[in-house]
Amino acid sequence: MEARKRPEYVLEILVDPVYVADIVRGILHTIFFHRYFPSMRPSSLDVLGLTLPVVADPELQTLIETRVGQLVRQLSSTSSPSGGSRGELGVRFFEKRRRKGGLGGWLTSTARSEEEVCWEVWKLKFTLTTPRTETERTALLRAEAPALQKTAMTIVKIVNRDKDHIPPITTSEMNPFPYEILLNPRAESDVKTIGFFA
């Protein structure tokens, strides 16, 4: 049986310094809302006049807030007056599989006999733009809401279209699929890029 290649999705987003944290938070929650499988009570977040879904899980929310803060600090520290500062977040989802071969079985503990295999990757590439005039700021603000809506709808289209790679749930754990959010993950090749520019 041939192993399937995990899908990788790249979203490029142009952001204004004023709304960068809200936009990043909204995009991350939109991805997790569609890939977080425990039962939850839906919640929402309003960003630029759009209502986006929120996963109301304290552990996930803490991780999202930590990564949003790290990205904002990075974008702010490398920002120039003309803008153009860049940062990236990577979101990975894993399944737990039993290791095959080796000394498995009764010689190893259960924790060591499992491995986490990535089944989906999202790369979010953010470019911070700093408007120089009020006219530029107004134009950017007008363009940001439609760009965010387009990004959110692209996420929804992807998760509704690409379902065959999601592994079966084989555990009764609260969250069957571990995840991670990385700041500036290392580059991988053969990734299709989807751009959204304001």
Side-chain angles (χ1 to χ4, degrees):
M1 187 167 122
E2 187 178 312
R4 288 182 289 182
K5 186 174 180 181
R6 71 171 181 255
E8 298 181 7
Y9 307 104
V10 177
L11 302 176
E12 294 183 357
I13 304 106
L14 191 64
V15 292
D16 176 273
V18 175
Y19 295 105
V20 64
D22 290 336
I23 290 171
V24 174
R25 188 178 298 115
I27 291 170
L28 286 172
H29 273 289
T30 301
I31 291 169
F32 275 96
F33 184 79
H34 295 282
R35 290 298 192 236
Y36 190 78
F37 293 101
S39 62
M40 65 178 152
R41 181 173 304 237
S43 189
S44 63
L45 170 71
D46 289 328
V47 180
L48 298 171
L50 299 171
T51 302
L52 299 173
V54 169
V55 176
D57 174 78
E59 183 179 321
L60 177 60
Q61 287 181 314
T62 299
L63 179 59
I64 287 175
E65 290 305 313
T66 300
R67 294 299 182 261
V68 167
Q70 290 171 339
L71 180 67
V72 168
R73 281 190 299 280
Q74 175 189 318
L75 291 173
S76 299
S77 68
T78 60
S79 179
S80 67
S82 61
S85 177
R86 295 175 186 265
E88 185 176 328
L89 290 176
V91 178
R92 295 185 196 177
F93 295 95
F94 300 90
E95 70 172 307
K96 291 182 182 178
R97 288 188 190 164
R98 291 188 179 211
R99 290 186 194 265
K100 294 180 182 176
L103 295 175
W106 61 274
L107 292 177
T108 59
S109 71
T110 305
R112 281 192 244 136
S113 65
E114 288 185 341
E115 64 181 336
E116 289 185 350
V117 178
C118 184
W119 54 268
E120 185 173 270
V121 175
W122 292 82
K123 292 186 178 183
L124 309 173
K125 296 183 177 190
F126 297 94
T127 302
L128 186 70
T129 182
T130 307
R132 291 177 287 235
T133 66
E134 263 322 295
T135 305
E136 287 179 1
R137 178 170 302 286
T138 303
L140 180 62
L141 289 176
R142 276 195 207 127
E144 271 186 317
L148 178 60
Q149 182 176 20
K150 187 174 181 181
T151 301
M153 291 309 297
T154 297
I155 293 167
V156 170
K157 286 176 189 172
I158 288 170
V159 299
N160 284 333
R161 179 191 69 211
D162 299 351
K163 299 177 187 176
D164 294 342
H165 66 284
I166 299 172
I169 296 174
T170 59
T171 180
S172 59
E173 292 179 31
M174 179 63 172
N175 182 19
F177 301 121
Y179 53 83
E180 64 183 4
I181 304 172
L182 303 170
L183 180 65
N184 298 319
R186 62 176 223 270
E188 295 180 41
S189 59
D190 301 324
V191 183
K192 192 172 188 179
T193 301
I194 305 166
F196 299 98
F197 299 97

